[in-house]
């Protein structure tokens, strides 16, 4: 009867201040409870704190068909699935089933006053969190909770309370904790109609205990990378919208530093928390980030962006460019498209992958990268990179290029020296061992103060060039041979080649061994910065006319080897039979005639004819054929978006590395824990206080007093840099709250 009555709607009578749920149905909610009005009649009511009554009203509205499930869910601030679950609970257990269950742990807390006092005493004695947890039988989180350090545990999006002594309490009293951001509704409305211009400007609301406030530590170091300036130089600006070029790049850098380097990571970082450090009401969502990246990729200027970053890296750190490490990196592809296979060293077998060539400085920090041509060798990529390297380091500067055996080519060595560079690499292929008396023990110290001792011999070698326009020429290089232990007390020799005659022999060895710094970057970037992530799913057909190695050559070569082995075996059998006939046993007669000899030689002659035919057939097969003849459906993965994200993550890595290096001299374990401390500091909470031409970032203490003291020293260095928040004239000033003292 009620459903039929509601199907004939009277005039919608709603009191002032009521929010309309459906035509004629409204909700009046306040601090003392709520009231549902259905066509002028007060139908459901509940008091403040009566969650069961509120849920009952929502379910009954749907059951009475006064409003749809979606309309009720929107009015009550939940999703439609929640309304359905409430309805199922009401049907199964009545109104009692709508009473919310108690949240959090159901048992008694282990942190008794006596245990908390013991934890404080152990912390005062200098014990670590793990040692305290082991001694007291609770988790490290419980230890942090007892010590009042929950918010500084480095969890993005956490806004807990931190102990900071009386000074901290007084300091937080003058600013609200997690206030609402400055309203930006007007700017968003303008952006919707394309009237905002280059994006919303950062505006900060003074507040305490902002999650992710530590990300602002990276801004002075990020300014040193030149990412924002380079992007404005290359791209100019994005289309009119609420999020401009600077906000987009800062979002991606902050996500990378927070441990979520992909666009999808925005779903795991609260947009309001990230928006506060951007000076906005909320950070862009995944679809917005992808749209902005697609807009940048459509410009086709990713290579220009990377080279602009490289020039700024060279200008900021010229002393680190004396030795450049060059190596190829295989980015494995796990999708469904047909992508050319290449050998992946860390997997030890070929797999679908795209090849990239990376250049890092002598400390292993990335300078720039290029997408390598499929099927091209490291030697070919090195030759292609020489003009770009010269443009980065400047004319006339002598720089040493370090690479591994993949770049072995005497013709390339001649090209490198002719271009005004020096080279440093390992010798490839068999080389004669030097006499033991030529080796002497050499002691040296590397650029990081570590001592080394080698057994070395210093000689000169001439290498002949067998291909290319330099065919027939020779290149003379210095060879530093090192004797190293092998198995069972036997030694072996490895040889380094260089055009540098001014370096000490020991330095040649440790400089070449330092090439592993680049490999360390690859390993760290794969783990922390999604180096191999597929940031764009687009692909284009590969060039069908591109020449690729002919797999038939490999089959023909195997046939030649098989025929050669068969010919050798037939000849060996013939010689054995002839020897037996020529040396009969005593008392036996042997007769050799032309017919017998011809019969014995016939199989060997046939085998040699087969070998000759196999050689001719192999020589007739072309070494390279068009890709379209071999794999017409071969695809190339999108490179533009990947290079843009590489540029952003390179800047994020270099900024993080600059902060880690700034800890040396201020943190005793910086050699082992610098990066871990910086990662914790970047995700800690803190206060943000805009002032007159300055922006104060006052961070909460870290998990240990020694770390907090190191962070305080880092804050002093960053404040002295007097960097500005991008897009504003606010000078950044950093402080850290004092570590809470035990009660």
């Amino acid at each position: 009867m009620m459903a039929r009555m509601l199907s004939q709607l009277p005039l919608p009578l709603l009191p002032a201040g009521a929010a309309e749920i459906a035509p004629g149905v409204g909700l009046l909610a306040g601090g003392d409870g709520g009231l549902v009005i259905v066509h002028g009649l007060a139908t459901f009511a509940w008091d403040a704190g009566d969650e069961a009554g509120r849920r009952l009203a929502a379910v009954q509205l749907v059951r009475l068909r006064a409003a749809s499930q979606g309309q009720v869910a929107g009015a009550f601030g939940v999703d439609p699935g929640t309304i359905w679950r409430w309805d199922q609970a009401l049907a199964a257990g009545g109104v009692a089933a709508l009473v919310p269950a108690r949240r959090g742990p159901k048992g008694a807390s282990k942190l008794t006053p006596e245990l908390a006092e013991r934890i404080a005493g152990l912390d005062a004695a200098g014990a670590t969190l793990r040692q305290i947890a082991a001694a007291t039988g609770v988790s490290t989180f419980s230890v942090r909770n007892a010590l009042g350090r929950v918010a500084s545990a480095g969890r993005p999006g956490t806004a807990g309370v931190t102990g900071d002594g009386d000074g901290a309490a007084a300091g937080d009293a003058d600013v609200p904790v997690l206030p609402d951001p400055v309203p930006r509704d007007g700017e968003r409305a303008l952006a919707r109609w394309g009237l905002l211009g280059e994006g919303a400007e950062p505006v900060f609301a003074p507040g305490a205990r902002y999650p992710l406030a530590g990300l602002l530590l990276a801004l002075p170091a990020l300014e040193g990378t030149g990412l924002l300036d380079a992007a404005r130089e290359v791209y100019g600006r994005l289309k009119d919208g609420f999020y401009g070029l600077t906000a987009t790049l800062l979002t991606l850098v902050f996500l990378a530093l927070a441990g979520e380097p992909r666009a999808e990571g925005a779903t795991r970082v609260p947009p309001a928390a990230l928006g506060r450090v951007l000076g906005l009401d909320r950070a862009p969502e995944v679809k917005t980030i992808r749209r902005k990246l697609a807009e940048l990729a459509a410009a086709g200027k990713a290579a220009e962006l990377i080279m602009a970053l490289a020039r700024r890296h060279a200008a900021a750190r010229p002393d680190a460019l004396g030795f450049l490490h060059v190596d190829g990196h295989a980015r494995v592809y796990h999708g469904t498209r047909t992508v050319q296979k290449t050998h992946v060293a860390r997997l030890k077998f070929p797999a679908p992958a795209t090849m990239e060539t990376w250049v890092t400085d002598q400390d292993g920090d990335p300078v720039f990268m290029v997408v390598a041509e499929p099927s091209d060798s490291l030697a070919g990529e090195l030759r292609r990179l020489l003009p770009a390297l010269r443009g980065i380091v400047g004319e006339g500067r002598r720089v040493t290029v370090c690479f591994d055996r993949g770049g072995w080519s005497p013709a390339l060595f001649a090209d490198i020296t002719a271009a005004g560079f020096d080279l440093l690499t390992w010798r490839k292929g068999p080389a004669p061992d030097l006499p033991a008396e030529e080796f002497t023990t050499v002691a040296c110290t590397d650029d990081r103060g570590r001592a080394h001792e080698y057994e070395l011999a210093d000689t000169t070698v001439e290498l002949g060039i067998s291909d290319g326009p330099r065919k027939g020429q020779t290149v003379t290089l210095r060879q530093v041979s090192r004797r190293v232990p092998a198995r069972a007390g036997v030694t072996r020799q490895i040889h380094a080649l260089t055009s540098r005659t001014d370096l000490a022999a020991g330095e040649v060895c440790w400089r070449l061994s330092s090439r592993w710094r680049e490999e360390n970057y690859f390993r760290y970037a794969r783990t922390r910065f999604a180096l191999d992530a597929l940031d764009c799913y687009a692909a284009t057909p590969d060039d069908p006319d591109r020449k690729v190695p002919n797999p038939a050559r490999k089959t023909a070569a195997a046939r030649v080897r098989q025929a050669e082995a068969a010919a050798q075996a037939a000849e060996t059998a013939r010689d054995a039979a002839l020897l037996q006939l020529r040396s009969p046993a005593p008392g036996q007669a042997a007769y050799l005639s032309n017919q017998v000899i011809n019969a014995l030689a016939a199989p060997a002659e046939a085998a040699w004819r087969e070998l000759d035919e196999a050689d001719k057939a192999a020589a007739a097969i072309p070494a390279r054929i068009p890709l379209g003849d071999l794999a017409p459906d071969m695809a190339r993965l999108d490179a533009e978006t990947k290079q843009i994200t590489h540029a952003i993550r390179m800047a994020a890595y270099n900024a993080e590395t600059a902060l880690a290096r700034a800890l040396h001299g201020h943190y005793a374990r910086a050699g082992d824990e610098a990066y871990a401390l910086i990662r914790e500091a970047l995700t800690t909470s803190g206060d943000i206080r805009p002032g007159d031409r300055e922006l104060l970032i006052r961070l909460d203490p870290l998990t240990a007093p020694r770390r907090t003291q190191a962070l305080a020293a880092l804050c002093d260095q960053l404040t002295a840099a007097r960097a500005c928040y991008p897009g504003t004239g606010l000078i950044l000033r950093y402080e850290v709250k004092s570590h809470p003292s035990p009660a």
Side-chain angles (χ1 to χ4, degrees), residues 108-352:
S109 173
K110 293 183 179 180
L111 289 178
T112 61
E114 295 79 9
L115 183 60
E117 183 177 356
R118 184 185 175 195
I119 289 173
L122 291 172
D123 179 67
T128 65
L129 293 179
R130 289 185 179 180
Q131 292 171 341
I132 297 174
T136 56
V138 298
S139 66
T140 54
F141 178 80
S142 298
V143 174
R144 286 196 299 268
N145 192 22
L147 296 174
R149 306 176 196 167
V150 175
S152 61
R155 298 186 311 280
T158 303
V161 178
T162 61
D164 192 28
D166 297 337
D172 291 341
D174 58 343
V175 290
V177 175
L178 293 179
D180 292 333
V182 177
R184 314 302 288 268
D185 296 341
E187 291 164 292
R188 288 189 177 274
L190 291 174
R192 194 173 299 115
W193 295 98
L195 302 176
L196 185 59
E198 293 191 33
E201 296 183 358
V203 179
F204 296 93
R209 309 254 174 82
Y210 281 152
L212 301 177
L215 288 174
L216 298 176
L217 288 169
L219 289 180
L222 183 66
E223 182 179 344
T225 67
L227 173 65
L228 302 180
D229 292 337
R232 282 191 292 268
E233 172 190 314
V234 173
Y235 294 104
R237 51 171 291 182
L238 293 174
K239 295 179 181 177
D240 292 348
F242 186 78
Y243 299 105
L245 179 62
T246 298
T248 301
L249 295 177
L250 282 180
T251 298
L252 290 167
V253 169
F254 285 161
L255 284 174
L257 293 173
E260 297 291 349
R262 302 187 64 188
E264 291 80 358
T267 62
R268 294 180 286 274
V269 177
L274 187 56
R276 288 187 175 99
V277 297
L278 292 170
L280 303 173
D281 53 350
R282 61 185 291 113
E285 298 178 357
V286 175
K287 62 180 181 180
T288 303
I289 296 173
R290 286 178 174 167
R291 187 171 64 249
K292 298 293 184 181
L293 284 175
E295 182 181 343
L296 292 174
K301 297 181 178 180
E304 295 182 34
L305 174 63
I306 288 180
M307 296 308 295
L309 274 177
R311 289 191 293 270
R312 284 165 171 78
H313 186 106
R317 303 191 61 208
D319 296 340
L321 298 186
F323 292 81
L324 294 177
H325 302 144
V326 183
D327 198 5
H329 174 72
R331 186 163 58 92
V332 180
Y333 173 68
H334 302 283
T336 58
R337 293 186 172 91
T338 303
V339 176
Q340 182 166 324
K341 290 186 177 181
T342 188
H343 181 75
V344 183
R346 64 181 182 276
L347 300 180
K348 295 182 170 47
F349 60 81

Side-chain angles (χ1 to χ4, degrees), residues 482-487 489-492:
R482 179 184 173 191
R483 191 163 58 176
V484 295
R487 300 174 184 172
V490 179
T491 60
R492 65 186 182 94

